[in-house]
């Protein structure tokens, strides 16, 4: 009898946890509802580059990366960094100048070429046999390789795994319905000692359709929490006149440090 009582308690606990998990998921779904069906095709991103509608590009190293770089490096040197949807981020050269290697993925060939040209770097260009139509651009001076392809065609079999990832303008840019697929790809690219710096935005999604899209902390936990530890490093008020022009009344920028759980 005593054994059956313990079993009932355990069963009750499991059911309570399942119910709590279900409520949490329902809450996330409700928060994301205003942007759930928003879709941007790859061609739209290429058009933005061609028309120079790239307000998301920053001409200086991102402050969130600068202020948290020591936590990402954790004393390591010569770290392999991955930049999903890299654009022409100057952060890549900044890291390469410190002796790190950089691999980026970007759909726009124009963005990739502009990165090298604007930083006065010569580069080579070659096809990627494993991805039909894809190209990889490699710096002659720095350890920087940028793949021009659909992010979801990239994999660890092509680029290996990474000791660090800087995700600024990537998770917040992909279509909301693709986030689980995106998280699975990112996790597959993480080496055991990987330190993944993720930049997310909080605002009222009923006021602005995105991109950049609203990504609540609860979804970061849902996407990565099973296999990774997540630490919120910084949370800042990022509202500017540009964002007010979108109709927003608040904008919070969060930076998370995500690391694989030790087995």
């Amino acid at each position: 009898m005593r054994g059956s009582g313990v079993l009932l308690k355990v069963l009750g606990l499991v059911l309570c946890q399942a119910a709590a998990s279900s409520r949490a998921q329902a809450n996330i779904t409700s928060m994301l509802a205003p942007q759930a069906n928003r879709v941007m095709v790859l061609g739209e991103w290429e058009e933005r580059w061609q028309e120079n509608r790239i307000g998301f590009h920053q001409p200086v190293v991102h402050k969130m990366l600068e202020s948290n770089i020591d936590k990402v490096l954790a004393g390591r040197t010569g770290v392999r960094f991955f930049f999903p949807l890299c654009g022409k981020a100057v952060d890549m050269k900044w890291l390469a100048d410190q002796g790190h290697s950089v691999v980026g993925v970007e759909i726009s060939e124009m963005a990739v070429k502009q990165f090298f040209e604007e930083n006065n770097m010569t580069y080579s260009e070659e096809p990627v046999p494993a991805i039909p139509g894809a190209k990889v651009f490699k710096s002659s001076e720095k350890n920087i390789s940028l793949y021009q392809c659909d992010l979801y065609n990239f994999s660890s079999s092509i680029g290996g795994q990474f000791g660090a990832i800087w995700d600024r303008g990537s998770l917040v840019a992909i279509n909301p319905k693709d986030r689980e697929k995106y998280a699975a790809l990112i996790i597959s690219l993480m080496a055991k000692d990987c330190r993944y710096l993720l930049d997310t935005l909080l605002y009222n999604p009923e006021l602005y359709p995105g991109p950049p899209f609203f990504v609540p902390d609860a979804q970061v936990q849902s996407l990565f929490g099973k296999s990774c530890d997540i630490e919120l490093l910084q949370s800042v008020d990022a509202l500017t006149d540009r964002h007010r022009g979108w109709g927003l009344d608040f904008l919070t920028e969060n930076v998370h440090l995500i690391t694989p759980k030790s087995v």
Side-chain angles (χ1 to χ4, degrees):
M1 292 294 289
R2 187 180 301 168
S4 61
V6 171
L7 185 61
L8 285 172
K9 285 184 179 180
V10 171
L11 181 59
L13 182 60
V14 169
L15 290 173
C16 285
Q17 289 175 334
S21 177
S22 178
R23 285 194 298 271
Q25 192 58 50
N27 189 35
I28 292 172
T29 301
S30 175
M31 285 191 287
L32 298 175
Q35 295 178 338
N37 298 316
R38 180 81 165 96
V39 173
M40 279 190 68
V41 297
L42 293 178
E44 290 181 76
W45 287 109
E46 292 182 283
E47 281 177 17
R48 288 192 176 203
W49 280 99
Q50 290 162 2
E51 297 169 4
N52 202 35
R53 292 188 293 121
I54 52 171
F56 48 83
H57 173 70
Q58 293 194 358
V60 296
V61 177
H62 198 285
K63 289 181 180 178
M64 292 294 209
L65 176 61
E66 273 190 316
S67 59
N68 292 291
I69 188 62
D70 288 344
K71 291 177 181 174
V72 175
L73 295 177
R76 299 173 297 168
T77 57
V79 175
R80 290 192 82 225
F81 272 83
F82 180 61
F83 276 66
L85 307 188
C86 62
K88 57 177 181 178
V90 298
D91 304 5
M92 295 189 287
K93 181 178 183 297
W94 182 70
L95 288 166
D97 285 344
Q98 297 177 48
H100 307 295
S101 59
V102 172
V103 173
V105 174
E106 170 58 48
I107 190 60
S108 169
E109 183 172 329
M110 177 179 286
V112 172
K113 289 182 174 178
Q114 283 182 6
F115 169 77
F116 290 112
E117 290 162 3
E118 291 175 9
N119 288 292
N120 299 311
M121 299 165 74
T122 56
Y123 61 90
S124 62
E125 175 185 334
E126 56 190 68
V128 182
I131 309 176
K135 300 175 185 176
V136 59
F137 296 77
K138 297 180 179 180
S139 165
S140 306
E141 301 92 351
K142 302 285 183 183
N143 200 346
I144 300 175
S145 299
L146 304 184
Y147 289 78
Q148 185 260 314
C149 65
D150 182 335
L151 177 64
Y152 299 116
N153 288 335
F154 188 78
S155 67
S156 59
S157 65
I158 294 166
Q161 290 187 314
F162 300 90
I165 300 172
W166 172 219
D167 187 331
R168 182 263 161 185
S170 187
L171 178 59
V172 299
I174 64 160
N175 296 324
K177 67 180 180 64
D178 292 332
R179 285 179 189 163
E180 290 189 1
K181 177 169 70 169
Y182 178 90
L185 171 62
I186 292 295
I187 291 169
S188 74
L189 295 174
M190 297 172 75
K192 290 181 181 179
D193 65 345
C194 184
R195 300 177 75 78
Y196 169 29
L197 197 65
L198 170 65
D199 187 76
T200 59
L201 300 173
L202 304 180
Y203 61 83
N204 183 349
E206 294 184 351
L207 300 179
Y208 179 66
F213 296 109
F214 161 71
V215 181
D217 292 354
Q219 190 173 37
V220 173
Q221 188 66 43
S222 172
L223 291 171
F224 299 101
K226 286 184 180 178
S227 59
C228 299
D229 293 318
I230 303 168
E231 179 186 357
L232 178 63
L233 295 182
Q234 236 177 319
S235 185
V236 301
D237 177 2
L239 188 69
T240 65
D241 288 340
R242 176 171 173 251
H243 304 128
R244 290 188 183 93
W246 297 350
L248 298 183
D249 49 9
F250 79 91
L251 179 70
T252 301
E253 185 172 7
N254 283 352
V255 170
H256 313 263
L257 182 64
I258 302 176
T259 53
K261 288 180 178 176
S262 52
V263 179

